Amino acid sequence: MNILSMKTQKIANWGNYPNVESNIHSSEYIDEVIQTVKNSDQITPRGNGRSYGDASLGENILSCLELNKILAFDPNNGILQCQSGVLLSDILEFILPHGYFLPVTPGTKFITVGGAIASDVHGKNHHVDGCFSEHTLNFNLIDSEGNIVSCSAQNNKSLFYETVGGMGRTGVIVDATIKLKPIETSFIKYEYQKVKNLDDMMLSFENCLDWTYSVAWLDVLKGGKDMGRGILMKGEHAKLSELKSTNRKRPLLPHSNKAINMPFFLPSFVLNDYTVKLFNFLYYNKQLAQLKNGIVHYDTFFYPLDSILNWNKCYGKNGFTQYQFVLPKKNSLDGLKAFLNKLRSSKNFSSFLVVLKLFGKTNPSAHWSFPMEGYTLALDIKIKEGIQELIKEFDDIVYKFGGRVYLSKDAFSSRKMFNLPDNLAGKFTSVQINRLKK
Amino acid sequence: MNILIFGASSDISKELARQYAQQNDNVTLLGTGVQRLEPLKLDIEIRNKVKVDLFEFDILKYNNSNEKIKKLINQSDISIMLIGYLGNQNEADENDDELARIVNLNYFKVIEVLNLIQRTYVSKQTGIIAGVSSVAGDRGKQSNFAYGSAKAGLSVYLDGLRNRLYPKGVHVVTIKPGFMATKMTKDLNLPKILTASPQKAAKTIIKAIAKRKNKVFVNWMWKYIMIIIRAIPEPVFKKMKM
Ligand SMILES: Cc1cc2nc3c(=O)[nH]c(=O)nc-3n(C[C@H](O)[C@H](O)[C@H](O)COP(=O)(O)OP(=O)(O)OC[C@H]3O[C@@H](n4cnc5c(N)ncnc54)[C@H](O)[C@@H]3O)c2cc1C
Ligand SMILES: NC(=O)c1ccc[n+]([C@@H]2O[C@H](COP(=O)([O-])OP(=O)(O)OC[C@H]3O[C@@H](n4cnc5c(N)ncnc54)[C@H](OP(=O)(O)O)[C@@H]3O)[C@@H](O)[C@H]2O)c1
């Protein structure tokens, strides 16, 4: 048998923090993947490293990127079976021409199916369609003994729900069967709405529940009566009849693979307070002057940042983290206000992108998944001196209001902030799990 | 068209299968342990609406009474021979089994199969045979001369076969890859600019076959490198460490 290809390398996830020296094992053959699992005391399954913090990092990593084959497709019912290392971008290119879209997609298309299940990712349609697991009909998992176990919401139900949102703790997902969403076109009909403060924002969210997609961008520099002002963005799959004649010629056009590369780390001073202020100002005004409603390609609507490969490097060599939390709905207004006040008072840490979304109903079966019914807020924070203390202050507010933090973004929060089982010991581990065990 | 690819698990073979499928050709991959390639087969079939077949084939056990192979060859339009084995020269110096394995997998068993292919294509009066040899066969050096000498034999065999089959409507292409980034070379530290990706190698092979080229280098630089290497006088060459 071939020896599984292995190399030692320093790697990090999307936030470029932390950096970890890892032995990376990789194979396209299931038998070799099983052998690696059997031979390892500790192993970390890894997809495309699009989590931000220290999930999917470890001393021994099993990269699933070579498990990148599509295994079956039923064009009549929109059911796709593929291996776990297939990227959502690859799936989109394949399914679009057949008239299907991803049932749930995060804000980047460069994640794997395995990562989507392990994080149980959510999208702008959470209030309508829930998380990725709700569209996952089945997956096959290599367990710690090296057996392949088939799991679904009916079969091996408990393992299924231990795995979705389980961050790789139960084993290596090797393939999955997903139910796709039928669509008429690749285009999204959108509406941008200017909202003057947090109370209005929450009201606006409640009033747009019939839109499939909704998310808001918040201007975090404003306090007082303007606190929480921002833009609410709503979207719906456009119908064929709604397209302009130029787009009607190729209504099911997939995204193009053209992208700009950010070739080096920008020096960190580029992202100082001043640029952030300017950015917020421009974004807030320009968008509204130009865009109120219209029709755009899905790539523009869902993945605006994907067209700049490695945009994460704009935060400089030290990297950044994303802090994403969710608060129960009843505490959301008070909690968000407390949080935004804290954010504004921590002058040294202004943030580029702050995103707010109202999640729909909690899925009681998917007990390790991050979403719960209520508001979720996400912000990028550049890493510098004092970040640990800042995150601690954030955690205290979120905890006080009964919220929790998203493991897929995290590198700093403490254990009490997460939805985790008591026992974190096991073969499938990660830098994150080891940090939270302590 | 129907394409036979001998040597299934080579990264070049997989890429050939993908690229031929994209131009709507059906592909059969022959090799050992081909059931592991089932996901690849499904992937290519689903994406391209062509047929990809996997055929379990150990060339070391081949003999010409294998009817299934005969039938496959008879139904094919193009046969590409990628089977090869770099082996370990030090090991071969000590162990004749390794030496025999190198010679069999690069030359002797390979030409036995090519012989069946040529007979079949001659009787059909059509067909293209492509053989992947190596620049290692252009001059023997201490690090891999068992492999090199077997590839030298293969190169000469392909030259002669091309000459022989020219009047019979069957064409023979010789591919000399230079370095390629495959499983065979994953542990070697190859200079990047002299090393072709499997995608590039497959593209070159497909084009060479379509244009009925005679001898093709995957990376043009190798042509000149080999001219230089062959020009080094033997009294100097024998002292070199290569
Ligand atoms: C720009 C950007 C926007 C994002 N937007 C969103 C969003 O809107 N919503 C959202 O939910 N998330 C979002 N994310 C986070 C991202 O979707 C998740 O972190 C996702 O899990 C990353 O997938 P990956 O393939 O890169 O996996 P990795 O980052 O490599 O791994 C993530 C986790 O999955 C586990 N894992 C990966 N593959 C397997 C496998 N085959 N078997 C078992 N476990 C496995 C790892 O161990 C790890 O715990 C965003 C990320 C970025 C960079
Ligand atoms: N990589 C380079 O730099 C380089 C340079 C010059 C020439 N080449 C030549 O290019 C060709 C492809 O090589 P590669 O680099 O892709 O290396 P590889 O991965 O080692 O490929 C070797 C091929 O030989 C096949 N093979 C080995 N033993 C076999 C057996 N007993 N029966 C049937 N098939 C057998 C393998 O198929 P299965 O595993 O499916 O059996 C595989 O397809 C070889 O002829 C090699 O000599 C390579």
Side-chain angles (χ1 to χ4, degrees):
Chain A
M1 181 168 29
N2 286 307
I3 297 158
L4 198 68
S5 137
M6 203 265 280
K7 58 182 176 186
T8 304
Q9 198 180 306
K10 256 203 134 137
I11 59 165
N13 287 329
W14 191 242
N16 286 315
Y17 178 89
N19 264 282
V20 174
E21 183 92 28
S22 301
N23 302 318
I24 304 177
H25 307 259
S26 159
S27 173
E28 66 177 295
Y29 301 124
I30 305 296
D31 55 315
E32 291 186 350
V33 174
I34 291 175
Q35 205 51 49
T36 307
V37 168
K38 283 188 177 163
N39 294 347
S40 312
D41 295 330
Q42 299 248 289
I43 191 114
T44 308
R46 181 175 166 89
N48 204 27
R50 249 48 176 201
S51 46
Y52 281 72
D54 52 5
S56 89
L57 297 178
E59 225 173 283
N60 272 309
I61 284 179
L62 188 102
S63 168
C64 296
L65 289 176
E66 283 190 71
L67 302 176
N68 58 1
K69 314 293 185 301
I70 294 178
L71 302 176
F73 177 57
D74 171 356
N76 298 320
N77 298 304
I79 294 173
L80 179 85
Q81 186 190 11
C82 66
Q83 290 185 315
S84 61
V86 173
L87 296 178
L88 299 188
S89 57
D90 191 16
I91 294 183
L92 283 169
E93 277 178 67
F94 175 70
I95 63 176
L96 243 297
H98 294 279
Y100 289 103
F101 198 71
L102 295 165
V104 165
T105 177
T108 174
K109 57 186 179 293
F110 299 126
I111 74 157
T112 65
V113 167
I117 294 170
S119 289
D120 202 8
V121 298
H122 57 268
K124 298 176 171 64
N125 55 342
H126 184 273
H127 60 288
V128 179
D129 295 310
C131 287
F132 200 83
S133 63
E134 284 163 68
H135 311 273
T136 303
L137 304 180
N138 175 274
F139 56 75
N140 285 303
L141 181 85
I142 301 175
D143 69 12
S144 55
E145 257 105 71
N147 301 313
I148 294 192
V149 189
S150 167
C151 308
S152 71
Q154 293 78 38
N155 243 339
N156 288 316
K157 184 174 170 183
S158 69
L159 189 53
F160 181 87
Y161 285 113
E162 287 296 309
T163 302
V164 306
M167 302 303 283
R169 288 190 305 269
T170 54
V172 183
I173 300 159
V174 283
D175 61 52
T177 306
I178 306 155
K179 177 102 175 88
L180 305 168
K181 183 191 265 269
I183 45 156
E184 278 185 35
T185 80
S186 332
F187 294 84
I188 302 289
K189 189 172 66 176
Y190 70 84
E191 194 176 289
Y192 282 35
Q193 180 188 337
K194 188 174 179 173
V195 184
K196 64 177 193 294
N197 59 36
L198 195 60
D199 297 78
D200 276 16
M201 184 60 87
M202 294 173 76
L203 207 62
S204 306
F205 264 113
E206 293 288 351
N207 287 338
C208 75
L209 293 177
D210 49 338
W211 285 79
T212 303
Y213 301 103
S214 63
V215 68
W217 169 78
L218 293 193
D219 179 357
V220 291
L221 298 174
K222 282 285 166 186
K225 66 172 176 30
D226 290 336
M227 183 160 75
R229 76 169 189 181
I231 300 165
L232 177 62
M233 298 169 251
K234 301 169 269 186
E236 202 59 67
H237 289 282
K239 300 209 172 59
L240 189 57
S241 58
E242 292 167 334
L243 295 192
K244 287 207 196 90
S245 55
T246 41
N247 291 334
R248 227 177 278 180
K249 278 180 217 137
R250 285 197 69 189
L252 291 168
L253 186 73
H255 57 271
S256 99
N257 285 317
K258 274 191 224 127
I260 315 161
N261 210 339
M262 178 107 48
F264 46 78
F265 286 99
L266 285 182
S268 44
F269 62 79
V270 174
L271 209 84
N272 59 21
D273 269 0
Y274 176 71
T275 38
V276 171
K277 265 183 194 143
L278 192 68
F279 175 90
N280 275 354
F281 176 80
L282 286 178
Y283 193 96
Y284 191 69
N285 288 287
K286 200 178 118 202
Q287 295 284 11
L288 272 205
Q290 292 176 350
L291 313 165
K292 203 132 171 67
N293 53 56
I295 289 188
V296 289
H297 192 260
Y298 71 79
D299 207 27
T300 312
F301 184 81
F302 289 107
Y303 316 114
L305 289 170
D306 279 355
S307 60
I308 309 166
L309 291 178
N310 307 331
W311 62 262
N312 53 339
K313 289 186 179 170
C314 84
Y315 284 94
K317 262 210 165 59
N318 294 337
F320 69 114
T321 186
Q322 186 169 90
Y323 191 75
Q324 180 172 2
F325 63 90
V326 58
L327 298 173
K329 205 163 170 185
K330 61 175 183 353
N331 298 344
S332 285
L333 182 62
D334 294 342
L336 285 171
K337 280 187 172 157
F339 184 85
L340 289 175
N341 276 326
K342 170 94 260 160
L343 190 61
R344 263 169 38 75
S345 69
S346 35
K347 280 272 181 305
N348 265 328
F349 288 94
S350 34
S351 173
F352 227 163
L353 283 170
V354 175
V355 172
L356 184 72
K357 156 125 202 92
L358 173 58
F359 280 148
K361 288 257 173 298
T362 311
N363 177 354
S365 308
H367 39 273
W368 303 136
S369 296
F370 163 69
M372 65 164 107
E373 186 168 21
Y375 281 85
T376 181
L377 187 145
L379 69 157
D380 291 354
I381 309 165
K382 202 168 122 48
I383 287 174
K384 53 183 166 181
E385 202 51 45
I387 181 135
Q388 185 69 64
E389 293 72 22
L390 181 74
I391 301 278
K392 167 93 179 49
E393 290 175 351
F394 288 172
D395 280 354
D396 289 343
I397 295 172
V398 173
Y399 191 75
K400 183 175 146 205
F401 288 93
R404 60 188 182 219
V405 169
Y406 195 8
L407 284 164
S408 306
K409 312 286 176 81
D410 169 63
F412 295 100
S413 288
S414 53
R415 174 154 185 175
K416 67 171 200 261
M417 301 312 298
F418 303 103
N419 200 10
L420 280 169
D422 293 337
N423 185 2
L424 291 177
K427 177 180 267 194
F428 302 103
T429 184
S430 66
V431 171
Q432 182 170 66
I433 292 170
N434 285 328
R435 172 170 61 83
L436 294 172
K437 254 198 255 178
K438 280 171 200 149
Chain B
M1 280 194 299
N2 290 320
I3 321 285
L4 292 190
I5 299 176
F6 289 84
S9 74
S10 158
D11 294 325
I12 315 299
S13 305
K14 292 170 190 162
E15 200 48 49
L16 281 168
R18 266 190 200 294
Q19 294 186 18
Y20 270 119
Q22 277 162 13
Q23 37 182 73
N24 288 322
D25 295 313
N26 296 317
V27 178
T28 304
L29 289 160
L30 299 93
T32 57
V34 284
Q35 84 285 350
R36 318 166 111 190
L37 299 179
E38 193 67 25
L40 178 81
K41 163 199 158 81
L42 295 172
D43 184 83
I44 298 178
E45 287 184 338
I46 291 165
R47 289 177 198 261
N48 302 286
K49 303 210 175 70
V50 295
K51 218 168 143 30
V52 176
D53 285 309
L54 301 175
F55 191 89
E56 186 62 31
F57 176 66
D58 183 346
I59 199 170
L60 295 175
K61 297 188 184 136
Y62 164 80
N63 66 59
N64 65 13
S65 60
N66 185 331
E67 291 302 323
K68 278 192 194 151
I69 287 282
K70 280 189 187 162
K71 196 168 154 213
L72 275 180
I73 295 174
N74 200 30
Q75 289 166 346
S76 71
D77 303 286
I78 297 172
S79 289
I80 309 177
M81 174 57 73
L82 286 111
I83 295 174
Y85 175 61
L86 185 57
N88 180 326
Q89 184 65 49
N90 294 331
E91 162 100 25
D93 292 344
E94 303 303 325
N95 178 349
D96 291 345
D97 289 345
E98 174 75 354
L99 187 69
R101 191 175 171 82
I102 293 173
V103 174
N104 279 324
L105 283 174
N106 292 295
Y107 181 60
F108 187 65
K109 294 308 282 184
V110 168
I111 65 168
E112 240 185 284
V113 172
L114 289 177
N115 210 19
L116 174 64
I117 300 172
Q118 69 84 11
R119 279 202 300 275
T120 313
Y121 283 3
V122 165
S123 70
K124 295 205 300 177
Q125 297 183 317
T126 179
I128 300 182
I129 301 169
V132 176
S133 188
S134 172
V135 295
D138 291 0
R139 192 162 193 180
K141 56 182 166 77
Q142 57 174 309
S143 59
N144 65 3
F145 60 95
Y147 173 77
S149 64
K151 286 292 192 187
L154 178 62
S155 294
V156 174
Y157 178 89
L158 292 169
D159 287 346
L161 192 64
R162 179 164 35 248
N163 186 208
R164 173 69 156 252
L165 300 188
Y166 176 70
K168 317 223 161 152
V170 178
H171 182 65
V172 177
V173 187
T174 307
I175 311 289
K176 294 206 181 161
F179 296 148
M180 297 188 293
T182 64
K183 249 190 300 72
M184 186 183 267
T185 54
K186 74 177 186 327
D187 296 329
L188 307 178
N189 230 337
L190 301 177
K192 254 212 171 95
I193 92 157
L194 298 178
T195 308
S197 66
Q199 290 81 344
K200 164 91 193 301
K203 204 172 155 191
T204 308
I205 295 172
I206 290 175
K207 206 168 136 194
I209 290 171
K211 296 197 159 174
R212 295 178 159 256
K213 295 271 198 230
N214 300 314
K215 297 189 190 188
V216 171
F217 285 87
V218 170
N219 178 334
W220 60 270
M221 277 186 273
W222 277 100
K223 184 169 169 183
Y224 301 98
I225 293 171
M226 291 321 293
I227 289 173
I228 294 164
I229 289 183
R230 274 202 312 272
I232 300 171
E234 196 59 29
V236 179
F237 193 84
K238 76 172 182 193
K239 294 178 195 143
M240 289 170 68
K241 291 207 169 75
M242 304 180 71

